Amino acid sequence: MDKNLIKELADYTHNAEKEKREITKITAELYPELTIEEGYLVQEEVINQKLEAGHKIIGPKMGITSEAKMKQMNVDNPIYGYVFDNMVVNEGDSISIDDYIHPKVEPEIGFILSRDLEGPNVTPLDVLRSTEYVFPAIEIIDSRYENFNFTLPDVVADNTSAAGAVFGTNLKRPDALDLDVVGVTLSINGEIRNLGAGAAVLGHPANSVARLANMLSEKGEKVKAGQPILTGGITTAVRLSSGDYVSAKYGGLGDISFFVK
Ligand code: 0L1
Ligand code: MG
């Protein structure tokens, strides 16, 4: 893929993110033949632009991690992107709806590894043996595309809709819980809007980290110790509005919440 085209497409999604405005998906007109591999080239350029602007990577995130969603999008693999320092929301804090386009939230289980994991052939058992802590999290996704309407290459080029993350501080050792049966309710203003269990994430959230390590190894990269890793939404995402109080309650992992102004 031509370098100028990579830059043009990265500017297209990244400028929309910075200016908080919707754009038509790349594959609609701009470049209909975009492949997933090319989507990652565009994503890499977006990430480099963010790094050059002084932002720092906090950790990777996995997306499209439910079997139903993968089937719907006709893919065998989930996708990954990156959470940056300017996306982090502290537990109990407020976000302003004006800082986003059309944000949604999804509850996730996060991992912190005690050692780097390098694929290929990383297994969920390798992940669990290398996990220092698991923790509750809420991801804020905010696709830059109109109505969250995109193909898989489009969403990869858009850093997998990454826009915010609340990392819960209730850290647990991975052997303290059966993560596949950890339940979660996602409530808005005290009303349960969605619920699910850890198994919704590729059967077990450790599978998601293993898949991440194996996908990154295709680029000669690894999952790094100490970085918080978002493993993917346990429920479908819920749209936010000004005035919302968002809370996620986990069996065995506590609660996390934040406000929307
Ligand atoms: O984190 C996610 O699972 C979202 C990936 C991108 C799909 C979306 O924006 O709905
Ligand atoms: Mg997510």
Side-chain angles (χ1 to χ4, degrees):
M1 193 185 189
D2 178 70
K3 278 206 171 95
N4 292 329
L5 180 58
I6 296 173
K7 167 121 181 28
E8 182 191 344
L9 299 181
D11 287 345
Y12 182 64
T13 61
H14 195 198
N15 287 340
E17 179 184 349
K18 287 187 284 191
E19 293 160 18
K20 304 170 207 339
R21 58 177 172 79
E22 291 182 329
I23 49 175
T24 307
K25 63 185 172 190
I26 293 169
T27 56
E29 275 184 16
L30 205 53
Y31 185 57
E33 53 272 60
L34 185 74
T35 63
I36 295 175
E37 291 72 25
E38 289 173 333
Y40 277 112
L41 293 177
V42 177
Q43 185 194 106
E44 271 171 37
E45 173 63 21
V46 169
I47 281 153
N48 284 335
Q49 290 182 1
K50 286 178 182 293
L51 292 171
E52 275 161 26
H55 300 304
K56 295 196 169 43
I57 289 177
I58 294 296
K61 57 154 285 189
M62 291 288 274
I64 321 281
T65 44
S66 79
E67 296 292 350
K69 189 88 185 177
M70 285 189 337
K71 215 172 251 171
Q72 185 196 328
M73 300 202 81
N74 198 22
V75 286
D76 298 328
N77 270 321
I79 55 176
Y80 61 85
Y82 292 90
V83 174
F84 277 78
D85 54 354
N86 60 331
M87 299 178 183
V88 174
V89 178
N90 291 323
E91 261 185 281
D93 270 4
S94 298
I95 62 164
S96 168
I97 200 82
D98 296 336
D99 289 338
Y100 302 84
I101 303 166
H102 42 204
K104 297 182 183 182
V105 279
E106 52 190 22
E108 308 208 3
I109 291 173
F111 279 59
I112 295 177
L113 303 182
S114 54
R115 65 180 181 96
D116 294 354
L117 269 180
E118 191 162 10
N121 307 319
V122 172
T123 67
L125 191 59
D126 296 331
V127 172
L128 289 171
R129 290 170 63 194
S130 309
T131 298
E132 191 165 23
Y133 296 113
V134 295
F135 60 89
I138 298 176
E139 188 186 12
I140 304 170
I141 53 172
D142 194 27
S143 173
R144 273 47 77 166
Y145 302 118
E146 290 160 346
N147 302 317
F148 277 77
N149 178 4
F150 45 69
T151 66
L152 206 70
D154 286 304
V155 69
V156 168
D158 184 31
N159 191 23
T160 64
S161 309
V166 188
F167 299 117
T169 49
N170 189 20
L171 308 177
K172 289 274 191 257
R173 298 281 306 155
D175 54 1
L177 298 155
D178 286 329
L179 288 175
D180 52 345
V181 293
V182 164
V184 63
T185 56
L186 174 66
S187 299
I188 308 284
N189 301 324
E191 184 192 330
I192 294 178
R193 298 286 296 279
N194 258 331
L195 52 86
V201 181
L202 294 170
H204 191 294
N207 280 324
S208 180
V209 181
R211 295 281 276 270
L212 174 64
N214 294 330
M215 286 194 287
L216 286 178
S217 76
E218 290 167 22
K219 294 202 297 195
E221 294 176 13
K222 53 193 177 185
V223 187
K224 294 186 188 135
Q227 290 189 329
I229 304 158
L230 290 178
T231 56
I234 298 172
T235 71
T236 54
V238 174
R239 180 78 187 264
L240 293 180
S241 304
S242 174
D244 282 348
Y245 169 64
V246 182
S247 63
K249 190 180 217 176
Y250 294 76
L253 270 178
D255 302 356
I256 43 175
S257 59
F258 69 97
F259 298 88
V260 186
K261 284 193 289 197

